[in-house]
Amino acid sequence: MSEYQYYEFQAIDRPLTKDELEHVRALSSRARISATHFVNEYHYGNFRGDERKLMEQLYDAHLYFANWGSRRLMLRLPTTLLPARSAEPYCAEDALTCWTRKGHLLLDFSYEAEDGGEWDFETSFTLASFTALRTELAAGDLRPLYLAWLSALTRWELEEDVDEDEYTSTLEPPVPAGLAHLTGSQQDLADFLCIDPHLLTAAARASGVAPSQAIDKDALATWIRALPQHEKDTLLLDAALGTAPQPGPVLLARHRAASRGTAEPSTAARRRSAAELLDAAHEVRSEHTRQQEQARAQARRAEQLARESHLDRLAESAEQAWRDIANLIGKKQPGPYDTAVTLLRDLREIHDRAGTPDEFARRLHDLREQHRGKPSLMRRLTDAGLTPR
């Protein structure tokens, strides 16, 4: 299997300048490049650029994945919207790292399959699925960061050399609200980072109401009315000219900070250990398995009852069924042949239930003798096990 690598960058807060575009074009002759976008796919060779430096200098979002299991998502936000101190508790080796550069916070989400796994050719990602995460983070929604920590815990559980005491001593970071109801981009991130869904369900038990549902619109409106007029004018001008980040997330983040809104994680809440979370995930997984087995058993029972009801109705008109079989065979077509075979299998089961299998065997023998010159029919009867005993 040939290799495959996908690189995508996006400039969101401002487009690239002419000089910046020339710099980027020098890195790849095959990429699709615009003032806001860079996309390239590699079936051999590697990208010549430095993704980290490009993010620090030019772009606000970056996506990478390869067919051997490597995945990476990078986001850049102004530190005025998301300071490093808010992200650092969620950082975990090989899952999320963060650093600051020139007034921006850079977040690096990553996933590396242990054995590479098998490439799913139906699986692909685009950066558009994840760019809304920037807006959510800027508005104070830290669920994407907690998801990265869960991804690390998911992988940690699979490692063989982790001391049991580490599971007990490692505590989760503050739990954001809304884990039970992720946004579309957050669910895409959970899938991208291969988070155990049972672990996510267990983690969500300590999570409150989703941030979007926790906003007090009347309080927000009152707070906005109290802003100085010149500040409102500046926000609207920047929004119209596109010279600054979208004002919506900025205002929400400031409002939450000012009012200590319920969307921010509570540091006073009891923090669970990694061991507690993994034990809870095991319970969720076991309950899920039990419910699945119960559902399958109910489905089998319903199917069995439907089958018995069908055979009961057919038994009441068995002679008509034999006549229908003769008419179907007389059409000398594949479809009617298949229907006749299905009816014969049902009649065999009816005779077995009634304790008259010999009668069915006799009538089947007569039918085969009568139509032995029809090889297509004979083949279907043999394949269905409708042969003389």
Side-chain angles (χ1 to χ4, degrees), residues 17-38:
T17 65
K18 181 179 179 181
D19 289 342
E20 290 169 340
L21 275 173
E22 290 180 1
H23 169 69
V24 172
R25 289 196 176 101
L27 299 175
S28 176
S29 59
R30 295 177 297 158
R32 302 188 299 275
I33 300 173
S34 72
T36 58
H37 220 170
F38 175 106

Side-chain angles (χ1 to χ4, degrees), residues 280-328:
H282 175 72
E283 294 176 1
V284 172
R285 190 179 300 110
S286 298
E287 176 62 19
H288 179 69
T289 300
R290 187 192 67 78
Q291 291 177 354
Q292 283 187 317
E293 291 175 349
Q294 186 179 48
R296 285 193 291 267
Q298 291 175 345
R300 288 193 297 268
R301 178 58 180 165
E303 184 178 346
Q304 181 182 356
L305 290 174
R307 174 69 177 168
E308 291 175 356
S309 177
H310 165 71
L311 293 177
D312 288 341
R313 292 192 301 272
L314 187 62
E316 295 174 357
S317 56
E319 289 304 318
Q320 180 60 49
W322 282 104
R323 289 192 292 272
D324 291 341
I325 290 169
N327 292 332
L328 289 166

Side-chain angles (χ1 to χ4, degrees), residues 1 67 115-120:
M1 178 179 63
N67 64 343
D115 56 359
E118 294 185 4
W119 174 245
D120 181 1

Side-chain angles (χ1 to χ4, degrees), residues 15-78:
L16 272 61
T17 65
K18 181 179 179 181
D19 289 342
E20 290 169 340
L21 275 173
E22 290 180 1
H23 169 69
V24 172
R25 289 196 176 101
L27 299 175
S28 176
S29 59
R30 295 177 297 158
R32 302 188 299 275
I33 300 173
S34 72
T36 58
H37 220 170
F38 175 106
V39 180
N40 204 356
E41 298 172 279
Y42 291 85
H43 296 275
Y44 59 88
N46 294 290
F47 178 52
R48 296 199 302 270
D50 185 324
E51 300 97 310
R52 182 179 172 120
K53 288 184 178 179
L54 287 171
M55 284 295 297
E56 289 178 347
Q57 300 169 1
L58 304 177
Y59 291 105
D60 301 301
H62 164 58
L63 174 68
Y64 166 83
F65 60 91
N67 64 343
W68 53 80
S70 296
R71 300 178 181 186
R72 188 181 195 185
L73 172 69
M74 299 177 70
L75 301 173
R76 184 180 72 162
L77 300 88

Side-chain angles (χ1 to χ4, degrees), residues 129-150:
S129 300
F130 303 109
T131 51
L133 295 173
R134 287 185 77 248
T135 302
E136 293 166 358
L137 288 164
D141 185 349
L142 302 186
R143 283 178 288 179
L145 305 182
Y146 188 89
L147 291 175
W149 186 84
L150 280 186

Side-chain angles (χ1 to χ4, degrees), residues 89 164 231 260 366:
E164 188 172 342
E231 190 172 350
R260 297 181 180 179
D366 293 345

Side-chain angles (χ1 to χ4, degrees), residues 69-291:
S70 296
R71 300 178 181 186
R72 188 181 195 185
L73 172 69
M74 299 177 70
L75 301 173
R76 184 180 72 162
L77 300 88
T79 53
T80 53
L81 300 183
L82 182 64
R85 65 178 180 275
S86 297
E88 287 169 352
Y90 301 92
C91 290
E93 186 178 358
D94 299 327
L96 175 64
T97 56
C98 71
W99 69 97
T100 57
R101 187 72 76 240
K102 296 181 179 179
H104 286 87
L105 173 69
L106 291 105
L107 301 169
D108 189 345
F109 302 83
S110 62
Y111 176 85
E112 191 78 34
E114 291 295 327
D115 56 359
E118 294 185 4
W119 174 245
D120 181 1
F121 287 93
E122 298 299 321
T123 298
S124 62
F125 307 96
T126 61
L127 195 49
S129 300
F130 303 109
T131 51
L133 295 173
R134 287 185 77 248
T135 302
E136 293 166 358
L137 288 164
D141 185 349
L142 302 186
R143 283 178 288 179
L145 305 182
Y146 188 89
L147 291 175
W149 186 84
L150 280 186
S151 175
L153 185 56
T154 298
R155 282 173 273 178
W156 195 19
E157 184 182 17
L158 301 177
E159 296 179 4
E160 299 178 355
D161 57 350
V162 179
D163 191 287
E164 188 172 342
D165 290 340
E166 290 187 59
Y167 286 119
T168 304
S169 60
T170 300
L171 300 179
E172 67 179 336
V175 183
L179 286 177
H181 302 283
L182 300 177
T183 65
S185 292
Q186 291 167 6
Q187 185 59 60
D188 288 339
L189 180 64
D191 296 338
F192 184 74
L193 297 177
C194 298
I195 295 172
D196 177 2
H198 304 108
L199 180 59
L200 177 57
T201 298
R205 291 174 175 172
S207 181
V209 179
S212 60
Q213 300 172 359
I215 297 174
D216 185 333
K217 294 183 179 179
D218 292 337
L220 176 61
T222 300
W223 181 81
I224 289 176
R225 281 195 296 269
L227 289 175
Q229 186 62 45
H230 70 87
E231 190 172 350
K232 297 178 186 179
D233 293 341
T234 300
L235 286 169
L236 288 173
L237 181 61
D238 288 341
L241 298 177
T243 55
Q246 297 179 5
V250 177
L251 289 171
L252 285 176
R254 288 178 54 188
H255 171 61
R256 287 197 177 98
S259 59
R260 297 181 180 179
T262 57
E264 293 190 8
S266 173
T267 56
R270 192 185 80 83
R271 295 165 63 187
R272 295 164 292 184
S273 68
E276 288 177 305
L277 276 169
L278 292 175
D279 288 344
H282 175 72
E283 294 176 1
V284 172
R285 190 179 300 110
S286 298
E287 176 62 19
H288 179 69
T289 300
R290 187 192 67 78
Q291 291 177 354

